Amino acid sequence: AQTVTQSQPEMSVQEAETVTLSCTYDTSESDYYLFWYKQPPSRQMILVIRQEAYKQQNATENRFSVNFQKAAKSFSLKISDSQLGDAAMYFCAYRSDRSNFGNEKLTFGTGTRLTIIP
Amino acid sequence: NAGVTQTPKFQVLKTGQSMTLQCAQDMNHEYMSWYRQDPGMGLRLIHYSVGAGITDQGEVPNGYNVSRSTTEDFPLRLLSAAPSQTSVYFCASSPLRGYNEQFFGPGTRLTVL
């Protein structure tokens, strides 16, 4: 079974600075997908960024980018120019690419609470 | 489009009571699932479905039942509520497999006294 580990329960960053959230995972599969979800105080789960394991190029979405290290099974999220609206819980998640029944599920890490300091 | 909707948003139950959490999606997604979120534990999969009439257990299925009679709806039933089921419940849907994003409902906060 796959596991996802987020070793930083809480992080803080000054507004306009850059912060990196860590995520590691364990899997025996070669094809899979990785996601970062944001959960603000409203509780809504919002997709931030996603990465296909077969792609070597790191995904980027505006101020959000990932550092995907497949051999190390690491998938960190970098937030540049942090804004007050970035304050939230951030969850790393894994999804298998095998086309078997039930492999659509997401396996989540325990989350990192990000605080933005004005 | 409404996306994924959940009702109710909040619920308080007494131990032993039963109830159904409703989930509906209007995106014609084959895959639907229920997660529970507890402090320090992330989201854990309760049950999932890959289409009408097809359901299976996830990581923490005990005390919950599901059925999927239509593509749109995927209700979660608590048969006899226990304090350990106090949690926030999320319903999610997506097309089957691949790169597809799972869309989440707004969640239901359930308290069992």
Side-chain angles (χ1 to χ4, degrees):
Chain A
Q2 295 80 25
T3 59
V4 177
T5 302
Q6 294 180 250
S7 59
Q8 306 155 315
E10 296 183 350
M11 294 279 287
S12 61
V13 63
Q14 292 282 140
E15 192 175 3
E17 296 296 310
T18 295
V19 64
T20 298
L21 308 184
S22 300
C23 173
T24 58
Y25 57 94
D26 187 26
T27 184
S28 59
E29 298 174 339
S30 58
D31 295 320
Y32 49 86
Y33 305 94
L34 296 165
F35 304 84
W36 278 99
Y37 278 88
K38 169 185 177 181
Q39 187 180 44
S42 68
R43 207 167 64 198
Q44 182 68 49
M45 295 289 286
I46 302 165
L47 179 68
V48 174
I49 198 166
R50 53 188 164 185
Q51 175 83 39
E52 296 158 295
Y54 72 85
K55 285 189 175 180
Q56 292 186 336
Q57 185 174 5
N58 290 325
T60 300
E61 290 285 345
N62 300 314
R63 298 183 295 108
F64 298 87
S65 62
V66 298
N67 183 5
F68 173 50
Q69 302 289 330
K70 191 172 184 179
K73 296 180 182 175
S74 172
F75 183 60
S76 60
L77 174 70
K78 185 172 82 171
I79 306 174
S80 304
D81 185 25
S82 297
Q83 300 176 0
L84 294 178
D86 295 333
M89 281 289 286
Y90 286 82
F91 292 97
C92 180
Y94 173 103
R95 187 177 191 179
S96 172
D97 187 36
R98 290 191 305 166
S99 58
N100 293 339
F101 181 77
N103 279 329
E104 295 79 8
K105 70 177 182 179
L106 289 170
T107 300
F108 285 89
T110 52
T112 297
R113 183 173 301 281
L114 179 64
T115 300
I116 310 298
I117 303 167
Chain B
N1 284 348
V4 180
T5 58
Q6 289 183 239
T7 56
K9 284 189 170 52
F10 301 93
Q11 183 70 47
V12 178
L13 292 178
K14 294 181 179 178
T15 296
Q17 287 184 316
S18 63
M19 79 159 296
T20 299
L21 306 184
Q22 300 291 344
C23 174
Q25 53 93 7
D26 61 359
M27 297 173 282
N28 203 32
H29 288 163
E30 301 97 329
Y31 182 79
M32 295 186 74
S33 57
W34 279 100
Y35 295 87
R36 60 177 288 172
Q37 182 180 17
D38 302 295
M41 302 188 75
L43 280 75
R44 294 180 292 167
L45 183 66
I46 304 171
H47 284 285
Y48 65 93
S49 169
V50 296
I54 306 171
T55 65
D56 204 352
Q57 298 180 351
E59 182 183 355
V60 288
N62 292 341
Y64 308 94
N65 274 358
V66 292
S67 61
R68 184 107 178 260
S69 56
T70 67
T71 300
E72 295 77 19
D73 300 299
F74 191 46
L76 178 72
R77 298 182 187 85
L78 282 70
L79 305 174
S80 178
S84 61
Q85 294 178 305
T86 294
S87 189
V88 178
Y89 291 84
F90 287 95
C91 180
S93 76
S94 76
L96 279 177
R97 292 183 285 280
Y99 196 54
N100 300 297
E101 173 186 355
Q102 285 199 18
F103 294 84
F104 284 82
T108 295
R109 181 176 292 279
L110 176 67
T111 301
V112 183
L113 303 176

